[in-house]
Amino acid sequence: MRNKKRLLAPGPTPVPERVRLALAQDMIHHRKPEFKAIMAQVQQRLQKLFGTTQPVMPLACSGTGVMTAAVTNLFAAGEKVLVIEAGKFGERWGEICNASNVVVEKLVLDWGEAVTAEAVANMLDIHPDCKGVLVQLSETSTGVLHPVDEIAGVTKDRNVLLVVDGISAVSISPCSMDEWGIDCLLTGSQKGLMLPPGLGLIACSDKAWQKAESVTPSCFYFNLRAEKQKTLQNQTLFTTPVNLIVGLNESLAMFEETGFDAVFRKQWALTMMARTAIVEMGLELFAKDHFTWGLTSVLVPENVDASAVLEYAKEQFGVTLAGGQAHMKGRLVRIGHMGWVDWADLAAGLHAFAEGCKACGGSITSGYLEKGLHAYHSALNDSEIL
Ligand SMILES: *Cc1c(COP(=O)(O)O)cnc(C)c1O
């Protein structure tokens, strides 16, 4: 018997039928009124998603593309920025800066740790010439959630831009750009937004737009100031992935119907379900206190090869999970539960993971699923999280 396929990775994520049908519609022309009307609606919905009154610009690229757009439009070659490096995606900020000759000062943390606002303030005191702080809200390689709202308290009154990679956080846990004081927020289509890969989204604060005035973008394709003018006319600088925009309008309509509070609550409940089940299995969670709401990272037992667990889960149960990246490959399993994932998908994922561990020589305490589901139901009614 072939199992139903379940994609429980931290991107790409499952795409709901409603969105798939929207994606399948006839192609329309991106410069004509019909498309502009869709863009106008998308824009309103995107501003709610980002918690901003600023234009949110869609770019045809993967997540790394929008990160590149942020660096090359906000900072000139030779300027210095502070990069928070606590995993693979923090490292990527540094790599993008290096490629653009932006000078990097690093705050390096062990994988699995979250940065503190105090540490950021200290670094900015030591290096007052830093023009930006580049951080992930959710560091997808470790499952850590950095306290971006607190970091914004540090950057607000300084001559420095807070640039936030929200790729595995926006639409998954609360993130309010204007209220928090984020200067540049960006995300991608294939994580929480229930869409295929290929679309990036980015918005800038007044402070960031002012800074951008003094920068000549080092690459022709990503020109945020020109892109902003187009966004204000419900257009894009170049041909946009029309069907992804149509799909985005549908997924944002679904969020609107459900309400973001309910979406976040579900994400929180799934996170509680996964974390409770993992602890009940007798295994160790990788992200301890500051954890994201869209994935759960687990250290497999010493004698178990995580890659073999992933293979078993896929072969025997039809479940796709993710492994660790870089030096955590073979040691870590990352269970994605962002976007179009519900309790039953996660229950399947936890079961496939546990059976995989057992098959690969690990010992797992039983009863984890019942405890996990109990945690899910109590967390749904948790009044304190939002
Ligand atoms: C997925 C992800 C990226 C990279 O996105 P690509 O679409 O693969 O370029 C960057 N940052 C974070 C936090 C991510 O989760």
Side-chain angles (χ1 to χ4, degrees):
M1 248 294 270
R2 247 185 76 224
N3 285 296
K4 193 164 159 182
K5 284 190 211 161
R6 283 193 166 83
L7 180 56
L8 295 177
T13 61
V15 179
E17 184 181 40
R18 251 178 86 172
V19 175
R20 294 201 307 274
L21 290 173
L23 291 166
Q25 289 176 64
D26 276 343
M27 189 54 56
I28 56 176
H29 197 275
H30 65 299
R31 299 296 183 208
K32 300 289 188 276
E34 188 184 3
F35 184 70
K36 287 183 189 170
I38 295 170
M39 282 294 259
Q41 195 168 34
V42 166
Q43 188 53 223
Q44 272 189 356
R45 290 175 164 157
L46 281 178
Q47 288 180 333
K48 274 187 213 139
L49 174 74
F50 272 46
T52 188
T53 56
Q54 299 283 350
V56 181
M57 297 160 286
L59 302 176
C61 58
S62 86
T64 309
V66 249
M67 293 170 77
T68 305
V71 169
T72 54
N73 279 264
L74 297 176
F75 308 105
E79 283 186 333
K80 190 189 272 187
V81 296
L82 175 63
V83 165
I84 313 304
E85 187 186 298
K88 187 79 192 155
F89 294 105
E91 277 173 24
R92 188 160 303 173
W93 274 134
E95 289 165 348
I96 294 168
C97 290
N98 287 339
S100 321
N101 295 315
V102 171
V103 181
V104 173
E105 202 61 60
K106 277 185 194 172
L107 206 171
V108 180
L109 295 116
D110 286 339
W111 283 42
E113 280 184 17
V115 73
T116 62
E118 294 72 45
V120 173
N122 276 339
M123 282 298 276
L124 291 177
D125 287 341
I126 300 168
H127 306 282
D129 52 341
C130 281
K131 301 284 190 230
V133 174
L134 278 50
V135 66
Q136 272 61 43
L137 175 49
S138 159
E139 173 50 79
T140 319
S141 63
T142 62
V144 161
L145 193 76
H146 289 304
V148 163
D149 50 344
E150 291 168 22
I151 297 170
V154 172
T155 54
K156 247 180 221 168
D157 302 321
R158 298 184 193 228
N159 185 23
V160 63
L161 299 179
L162 176 58
V163 181
V164 177
D165 166 358
I167 296 178
S168 66
V170 170
S171 80
I172 295 164
S173 62
C175 176
S176 197
M177 179 173 156
D178 292 357
E179 194 188 317
W180 288 10
I182 295 171
D183 293 304
C184 178
L185 178 63
L186 58 91
T187 192
S189 53
Q190 80 274 32
K191 310 267 167 119
L193 289 176
M194 315 189 291
L195 287 165
L199 191 69
L201 300 165
I202 182 167
C204 296
S205 69
D206 287 332
K207 188 173 162 189
W209 283 123
Q210 262 169 27
K211 174 76 175 67
E213 293 284 332
S214 69
V215 178
T216 307
S218 59
C219 131
F220 178 76
Y221 186 63
F222 294 123
N223 184 333
L224 292 184
R225 278 190 289 157
E227 204 69 66
K228 179 188 181 184
Q229 295 314 315
K230 289 292 185 184
T231 302
L232 294 173
Q233 302 157 31
N234 298 313
Q235 284 286 279
T236 50
L237 203 46
F238 309 112
T239 315
T240 195
V242 173
N243 53 347
L244 284 179
I245 297 283
V246 172
L248 175 63
N249 201 24
E250 193 65 26
S251 77
L252 293 176
M254 288 173 72
F255 284 126
E256 217 167 75
E257 287 161 25
T258 310
F260 278 111
D261 275 11
V263 172
F264 296 151
R265 221 170 261 287
K266 183 209 78 171
Q267 286 303 140
W268 171 254
L270 289 176
T271 307
M272 289 299 104
M273 174 175 166
R275 292 180 69 86
T276 302
I278 295 302
V279 171
E280 289 296 327
M281 285 179 201
L283 299 183
E284 193 182 341
L285 292 161
F286 191 52
K288 301 286 186 296
D289 305 321
H290 299 272
F291 47 86
T292 91
W293 297 13
L295 73 137
T296 297
S297 45
V298 193
L299 283 161
V300 294
E302 289 283 352
N303 61 322
V304 171
D305 172 16
S307 311
V309 174
L310 299 183
E311 232 168 87
Y312 191 89
K314 177 67 183 149
E315 289 303 314
Q316 299 297 318
F317 297 98
V319 172
T320 299
L321 304 167
Q325 291 164 288
H327 66 280
M328 292 312 291
K329 196 168 158 57
R331 294 288 303 121
L332 208 62
V333 166
R334 293 176 304 146
I335 304 171
H337 41 79
M338 56 182 75
W340 193 241
V341 172
D342 71 1
W343 63 271
D345 296 322
L346 184 55
L350 289 165
H351 178 66
F353 167 70
E355 290 303 308
C357 277
K358 283 196 241 171
C360 297
S363 115
I364 296 288
T365 310
S366 56
Y368 60 86
L369 211 46
E370 202 182 332
K371 296 263 172 49
L373 284 168
H374 180 76
Y376 172 80
H377 289 293
S378 346
L380 271 184
N381 302 316
D382 213 333
S383 56
E384 280 170 28
I385 54 138
L386 293 178

